[in-house]
Amino acid sequence: MHRHTWAEVRLDRIAHNIKQIRQRIGPRVQFMAAVKADAYGHGDVQVAEVALKSGVDAFAVALLSEAIHLRQNGIRAPILVLTPIVPQDIDIAVANDLALTVSDATWLQEMRRYKTSKDRVRVHVKCDTGLGRLGLRERAELGALAPLLRADDIAVEGLYTHFASANQPDTTYYNEQYQRFLAMQESFKAEGFPDVTVHCANSAAALRDPDNTFDMVRIGAALYGIDPVPGEVSRVSLQPALSLHTRVTHVKRLKKGCFVGYDMSYRTVGDEWIATVPIGYADGWSHCFQGFHTLVGGREAPIVGKICMDQQMICLPAYYPPGTKVTLLGAQGKRRILLSDLGQHVGGAPQEVSTMITDRVPRVYLYDGEVVGVYEERSRMAARDPVVVG
Ligand SMILES: *Cc1c(COP(=O)(O)O)cnc(C)c1O
């Protein structure tokens, strides 16, 4: 590797998490793994391959490009695209054998104008039962959509919704959404679509309420070891798969009252060991993490001063030489930093932190402690490949 900074993805932990989740949801429910946004920053193809070996049935992505990336890398399993694709791209989607989300009649009519392929479009119909994002809210909207769905070249394969608050302690709104989804499902049957794959549960809903998941679950967070219901005694033991490390490149002893960082953003409060580490906001370690800490020698080392583009400074608990490993995410000794700790610090979701880590950070893949793959600057590598679709 050509950098002192790297992310580690423990694929055996993803396999472990899948087994745990499978035990909780039972053998009959289909397991769809959400691998959008490069598998929440863990690497889409690497995660998809280990997921298939661990018994996952299908994948969910957000974008057409994400689905094509999986197909180009040999993933043949069913893929559902969760957001409406650009209607002009319909033939590409069909040629790649993707299932698409339909959330209104307008998209379907638009798509018609561009479809030249004779093959059928596989669709899952999305209901908005209360998230206020995508989907049909009213029965009347379904009434308008249904005739379009009956076209010969459309295969209606699924009906789904997404919860707004499945991870919250108060389940009132979750139950309301669930009831609305039941009603939508009845209407859907009445319109003449009885045999579709019905799904609603994300990680939180699937793990908390495994008896009400219908035919399939869509699991993201839990797959990566992010506990979707923090604080609740989870019935599964999830293991975080991702960690992020760097090494001290420079150490200095600064006297009390010295400034550190742009805009003189930190001033030493005593004589301090200040170390420079080569990871900054261009790696996804945003200014938001100022005031949080790293781990060095199993102890906390606070991030001091403003985080720079390529580097940041930390205050060491004692002298450590250049080359010392610094952990920004993950465990050292008895201490660990979880994505949820970092998310809490920035006021965002844990997966917001993992998806922030940029392609500039090399990824090291491990299985049972053995290195099984190393990737550097992945986006630049991929750009050299011809983009062949269809
Ligand atoms: C991302 C996503 C999921 C997965 O959610 P997690 O909470 O990460 O398990 C499920 N369904 C939809 C529609 C999504 O966008």
Side-chain angles (χ1 to χ4, degrees):
M1 273 193 311
H2 303 291
R3 270 198 84 171
H4 289 307
T5 298
W6 73 99
E8 286 178 9
V9 182
R10 299 209 199 174
L11 295 171
D12 53 297
R13 291 189 164 195
I14 290 176
H16 164 90
N17 294 336
I18 291 169
K19 283 195 195 87
Q20 291 281 311
I21 299 160
R22 174 54 88 187
Q23 271 178 18
R24 181 98 178 110
I25 61 174
R28 274 179 294 278
V29 177
Q30 286 181 59
F31 193 135
M32 176 177 268
V35 294
K36 61 197 183 195
D38 201 22
Y40 292 33
H42 294 65
D44 56 355
V45 177
Q46 289 81 7
V47 169
E49 283 173 353
V50 78
L52 285 172
K53 285 196 194 105
S54 310
V56 155
D57 304 290
F59 297 104
V61 295
L63 310 178
L64 178 64
S65 59
E66 294 174 343
I68 290 170
H69 191 247
L70 291 175
R71 287 284 184 252
Q72 284 179 336
N73 284 279
I75 304 297
R76 303 262 161 271
I79 299 176
L80 172 64
V81 183
L82 297 168
T83 67
I85 68 160
V86 174
Q88 282 88 333
D89 288 337
I90 188 65
D91 283 348
I92 301 174
V94 170
N96 280 281
D97 194 23
L98 307 175
L100 304 179
T101 294
V102 174
S103 39
D104 56 48
T106 315
W107 180 87
L108 215 66
Q109 285 157 335
E110 269 292 291
M111 172 277 276
R112 278 261 156 267
R113 296 176 45 208
Y114 299 99
K115 183 167 181 281
T116 63
S117 161
K118 296 277 176 292
D119 293 332
R120 296 209 295 178
V121 187
R122 303 168 47 200
V123 302
H124 287 228
V125 175
K126 180 84 184 273
C127 306
D128 177 10
T129 53
L131 180 59
R133 198 167 70 180
L134 289 174
L136 311 168
R137 272 184 100 90
E138 307 296 335
R139 211 204 162 294
E141 290 173 85
L142 179 60
L145 182 65
L148 301 168
L149 290 172
R150 286 192 200 100
D152 283 343
D153 65 345
I154 293 189
V156 180
E157 296 189 341
L159 180 74
Y160 76 108
T161 194
H162 195 39
F163 292 115
S165 63
N167 60 342
Q168 302 291 315
D170 184 345
T171 55
T172 313
Y173 195 67
Y174 167 81
N175 291 328
E176 278 174 35
Q177 280 197 266
Y178 190 83
Q179 292 305 320
R180 274 185 224 136
F181 188 51
L182 280 179
M184 257 310 188
Q185 212 189 319
E186 284 310 312
S187 309
F188 206 61
K189 272 187 201 151
E191 288 288 354
F193 306 104
D195 294 321
V196 297
T197 302
V198 176
H199 49 112
C200 61
N202 58 358
S203 296
L207 295 179
R208 285 177 109 183
D209 196 9
D211 297 330
N212 290 311
T213 55
F214 301 98
D215 306 318
M216 185 164 80
V217 295
R218 304 184 307 270
I219 306 289
L223 196 72
Y224 309 106
I226 300 166
D227 191 339
V229 203
E232 188 165 301
V233 183
S234 207
R235 261 153 272 189
V236 292
S237 93
L238 301 171
Q239 297 178 343
L242 184 70
S243 61
L244 179 66
H245 313 274
T246 185
R247 290 190 190 281
V248 172
T249 46
H250 182 80
V251 196
K252 64 183 95 239
R253 183 77 172 161
L254 290 185
K255 294 232 171 302
K256 182 180 178 184
C258 291
F259 289 111
V260 176
Y262 283 126
D263 306 328
M264 305 143 71
S265 38
Y266 177 71
R267 195 169 197 181
T268 51
V269 293
D271 293 0
E272 294 176 13
W273 287 110
I274 299 293
T276 304
V277 293
I279 175 169
Y281 59 77
D283 301 303
W285 222 246
S286 124
H287 73 278
C288 301
F289 295 122
Q290 185 181 344
F292 201 74
H293 57 268
T294 64
L295 299 175
V296 180
R299 292 195 273 172
E300 286 187 11
I303 297 168
V304 294
K306 286 191 179 175
I307 291 171
C308 315
M309 187 184 285
D310 315 300
Q311 304 178 82
Q312 59 188 279
M313 279 67 85
I314 59 176
C315 178
L316 299 176
Y319 173 77
Y320 285 93
T324 301
K325 184 174 173 181
V326 177
T327 294
L328 297 103
L329 166 67
Q332 268 200 15
K334 287 197 179 63
R335 287 189 172 274
R336 63 180 189 171
I337 298 170
L338 295 174
L339 283 172
S340 53
D341 300 326
L342 294 157
Q344 204 160 30
H345 184 76
V346 304
Q351 50 268 44
E352 188 171 332
V353 176
S354 64
T355 54
M356 267 163 48
I357 301 168
T358 64
D359 272 1
R360 210 167 75 151
V361 177
R363 260 66 166 181
V364 178
Y365 288 88
L366 297 148
Y367 206 104
D368 289 340
E370 258 182 63
V371 175
V372 293
V374 179
Y375 296 82
E376 292 190 70
E377 308 240 20
R378 293 170 309 150
S379 63
R380 267 170 251 187
M381 302 293 212
R384 279 187 223 121
D385 298 335
V387 179
V388 182
V389 291

